[in-house]
Amino acid sequence: MSEGRDVAAGLAAVRQRIAEACARAGREPSSVQLLAASKYQSEAAIRAAYAAGQREFGENYVQELVQKAEALADLSELRWHLIGRLQRNKAKDVVRAGCAVQTLDSLRLCEALAVRATEAHVTVPVFVQVNISSEPQKAGVAIAELPQLLAAVRASPALELRGLMAIPRASEDDAETRSGFEALRELGVQHGVAGLSMGMSDDLELAIAAGATMVRVGTAIFGERPRKEG
Ligand SMILES: *Cc1c(COP(=O)(O)O)cnc(C)c1O
């Protein structure tokens, strides 16, 4: 588990990388939000990040998010995002947790979320996840189906469209990664969606150069995750 000072140092280093990438791209550092991807990280590590000024946190599993949200409810300015796959039968749980959903990728999920949010009289901030590298089995709506899904989100008063989200195919080749990010930006322009959640520890500079408005960073803030992803 990371010591608090390590987390603070990790955050400072990531903020520096963001500032430098923004300077190179001629962008304001305030135009890029940092989301701390805290899956498997301890509550102490999250508290340390919060104490160092971090406010947006992303979790991959609904159960883990709900538990952490309860345990950390005293951190009143903390905002949660679900960045892992959401099953329709968990829509109620995420609505209750009050988190943003970055992985909205189907009409059926859109409808389930809208129904639950309407019942609870709340508005859920959402990002539509796009399968930008068209990988079979990968989460995200197919590019061809994006217009229909965006229309459904926009037609629902209980959902607030914040942006598009993508995880391009993992690649050693910067040019390939960059083209994934640029493809998401193009879709944003084409469909009038300003928010772009893209870029992680290894490629946040490429994402910022391509127009990311939010980068989701885990390892570079917290160090290696305590457990491997299953
Ligand atoms: C884990 C995760 C991240 C952060 O990954 P790092 O490489 O640790 O920065 C970003 N986005 C999603 C969807 C993730 O699951």
Side-chain angles (χ1 to χ4, degrees):
M1 189 200 304
S2 300
E3 298 284 333
R5 61 175 181 280
D6 294 342
V7 172
L11 257 181
V14 170
R15 289 180 183 140
Q16 182 67 26
R17 284 175 62 188
I18 293 172
E20 286 169 7
C22 284
R24 280 194 298 274
R27 300 180 54 188
E28 288 296 324
S30 61
S31 69
V32 180
Q33 264 194 313
L34 173 59
L35 177 127
S38 51
K39 54 178 174 276
Y40 303 143
Q41 301 296 344
S42 67
E43 287 161 23
I46 294 172
R47 283 186 186 280
Y50 186 91
Q54 179 61 29
R55 292 294 180 267
E56 314 287 328
F57 289 84
E59 288 286 336
N60 288 64
Y61 305 97
V62 173
Q63 184 74 14
E64 189 176 344
L65 187 153
V66 166
Q67 280 169 5
K68 285 176 173 171
E70 277 176 21
L72 301 168
D74 57 303
L75 306 182
S76 59
E77 293 174 13
L78 193 160
R79 287 177 295 273
W80 292 106
H81 297 244
L82 182 73
I83 59 174
R85 189 168 259 175
L86 176 60
Q87 289 170 328
R88 277 177 297 149
N89 62 7
K90 300 273 175 64
K92 196 174 183 171
D93 299 325
V94 299
V95 167
R96 199 181 290 136
C99 65
V101 174
Q102 294 217 1
T103 50
L104 182 55
D105 67 354
S106 75
L107 285 171
R108 293 166 80 199
L109 181 57
C110 178
E111 189 186 323
L113 208 51
V115 166
R116 294 308 190 181
T118 303
E119 279 172 5
H121 305 288
V122 297
T123 306
V124 177
V126 299
F127 291 71
V128 170
Q129 185 179 359
V130 182
N131 186 354
I132 200 72
S133 306
S134 304
E135 294 169 272
Q137 321 262 322
K138 181 118 170 216
V141 66
I143 292 168
E145 290 163 14
L146 177 63
Q148 205 189 351
L149 182 51
L150 285 175
V153 172
R154 285 173 159 145
S156 171
L159 304 179
E160 185 201 329
L161 182 61
R162 285 281 177 83
L164 302 178
M165 182 272 221
I167 311 169
R169 187 198 316 276
S171 170
E172 298 289 298
D173 178 5
D174 280 1
E176 188 180 347
T177 308
R178 186 181 298 118
S179 76
F181 292 144
E182 286 173 349
L184 194 71
R185 182 187 52 196
E186 285 300 310
L187 288 173
V189 170
Q190 199 179 325
H191 296 289
V193 186
L196 299 174
S197 171
M198 58 187 192
M200 318 200 295
S201 291
D202 288 341
D203 54 21
L204 67 88
E205 284 85 359
L206 294 175
I208 289 170
T213 62
M214 179 180 279
V215 291
R216 309 176 309 269
V217 180
T219 313
I221 295 174
F222 296 107
E224 288 297 320
R225 280 181 272 283
R227 284 185 273 148
K228 281 287 164 211
E229 283 154 82

